[in-house]
Amino acid sequence: MAGSPGRSAIIVASIALSISLFVALYSLDAFQQALGFPGALSTRSYQYWMMVVALTVSTVCVMNTMMIAVYERYREIGTMKCLGALDRHILMLFLSESIIEGFIGGLAGLAFGLSLTSIYIGITSGPGSLLRVPGDRILALSLGSVLLSVALTLGGALYPAYRASRLPPVEALRFEP
Amino acid sequence: MSLDIIIELEDLAKYYTVGGEVIRALDGVNLQVGRGEYLSIVGPSGSGKTTLFNLIGGLDRPTRGRVYIDGVDISRLDAYELAWLRCRKIGYIFQTFNLIPVLTALENVALPTIFAGVPRDEGLRRAEKLLRSVGLGDRLHHRPSELSAGQQQRVAIARAMANDPAIILADEPTGNLDLNTGMEIISLLQGLNRTRGMTLISATHDLKMIKASDRVVYIRDGRIERIERG
């Protein structure tokens, strides 16, 4: 089951953008160290702050979009409660949607971030240097970024999903957007 | 309480306070509904029909009085037990169909079986059988937007029966349909009432629905005005 495709797209794009910054910085750092340069992150600590701010902003965006999605789906929630859905069914519905969105956003962000790094390294150090991929660090980064993406999306969805699950059925059914 | 009474309302009242003013949506309703009966509830809008449905369906709690379903006072049930009741004992049909737009007809009908904990395959099998029984065997994988209004209401009827409830509550089921489609829906509901012995309570303005029912309850200003044989 899925909600409005537009809302899901906003959530995926928001999380993908911040994850791509995260991936780009970490993979750049890993490449530079593999090539014998001081890593971008080890020399410029403010970049950590940029990353934290980007990830926080995208989580807030997920939460905001999810609140609107819940609002738009009041009648749907009311109908499901009318058909016997328990609070936990509604909670699980919204949380599982957010996990899928977080996973897709994480993969997209990973692909975008790695592409940016590859282009930058290819231009600055020559295409040949791309062959010296720091495999283990990129693999760990790939897994970590998708997990982080799912965790942040899930975190942003918690409160809206809780609100949705607690809606009294009569109020949700009476609602007309 | 005699055995063939499935629903009993005892001095049922629901008051709302809006802007400091108390609105008596229902004010002391007493009614008994027999098992397998087809009851129509008629009244102007704002007369308390929907409030009555919400209270019988366990969606809302009364300010005063009791609702007994199969002898159980449902005002004493907690949220979990009320959800159980809505899931297994009661099927809802709405005027506006209220199908989930992103789900196919088959998935919409199977939805209540998920809430009842029925295994997925069994739920889908049941949904398919029900859709065939309402004449939509060739529309299983269509979404609501690809169906006509009458077909959507058929899907909603199949969905209401998904967990084989004893009671069907239909809130103006023909209100959004043209004359002929409305007639089809009425005969479908009447057939279910006769063949499956489901108790059918329908809020309606539709004269044809009123004629098809066993009893007609006229309600005005939150009270029962009179009860007639259909």
Side-chain angles (χ1 to χ4, degrees), chain A residues 1-5 75-76 78-90 168-170 173-174, chain B residues 16 54 59-60 79-80 83-84 86-87 90 92 94 96 98 100-103 111-112 114-115 159 163:
Chain A
M1 201 178 309
S4 125
R75 276 176 75 88
E76 188 179 317
T79 303
M80 286 200 258
K81 288 205 155 182
C82 206
L83 300 174
L86 293 167
D87 289 3
R88 69 178 161 85
H89 287 123
I90 307 292
V170 171
L173 272 177
R174 204 185 295 138
Chain B
Y16 298 100
N54 290 341
L59 288 169
D60 210 353
Y80 185 89
W84 189 96
R86 293 197 291 266
C87 193
I90 295 167
Y92 282 89
F94 304 90
T96 47
N98 289 26
I100 310 294
V102 294
L103 300 183
L111 191 59
I114 297 175
F115 303 144
R159 181 178 65 180
N163 290 323

Side-chain angles (χ1 to χ4, degrees), chain B residues 36 126 129-130 133 161-166 190-199:
Chain B
R126 215 190 271 180
K129 204 172 152 196
L130 284 168
S133 77
M161 298 190 304
N163 290 323
D164 199 21
Q190 204 174 11
L192 291 171
N193 168 248
R194 298 274 150 79
T195 56
R196 292 181 176 238
M198 283 177 180
T199 307

